[in-house]
Amino acid sequence: MATPSHGRVEALTGARAFAGISILFLHFGRPLFTGAPGWAETLRHSGYVATSFFLMLSGFILTLAYGNKLAAGRMSAREFFVARISRLYPCFALALALM
């Protein structure tokens, strides 16, 4: 595997995006799959497998991005949590507003 630049591995990011789309289809894809072949509906229903894959890849990518900084003391736990919350909160707030 190539050395990631700035803690990013594009192939893993793409696989994570694919898993995320599979999860979205599992939850919200029923209207899209109406009248689809049986194999497509089976694929949609197996989206729960993508959840484990997504979480595993997310943890691995977070370790690549922040692991060395945290272990070497170049980043505190507080800085890590501020960075994560500032990245995730806007999406959470938007989802909450849409609900």
Side-chain angles (χ1 to χ4, degrees):
M1 177 172 13
T3 304
S5 61
H6 305 291
R8 290 185 63 98
V9 179
E10 296 303 324
L12 295 181
T13 303
R16 199 166 134 238
F18 181 74
I21 290 169
S22 297
I23 295 166
L24 282 174
F25 280 156
L26 172 68
H27 290 291
F28 305 110
R30 183 175 302 223
L32 294 173
F33 286 80
T34 301
W39 63 266
E41 187 62 25
T42 301
L43 187 63
R44 185 184 78 79
H45 276 293
S46 63
Y48 68 91
V49 175
T51 303
S52 298
F53 185 62
F54 180 85
L55 292 173
M56 181 206 47
L57 283 178
S58 296
F60 183 72
I61 290 170
L62 281 173
T63 301
L64 283 176
Y66 295 105
N68 289 336
K69 291 178 189 176
L70 288 167
R74 293 189 313 254
M75 177 181 255
S76 68
R78 183 179 188 279
E79 290 172 321
F80 170 76
F81 285 114
V82 167
R84 295 307 306 154
I85 290 170
S86 65
R87 184 167 179 140
L88 296 174
Y89 184 75
C91 187
F92 170 75
L94 176 64
L96 188 61
L98 290 174
M99 286 178 34

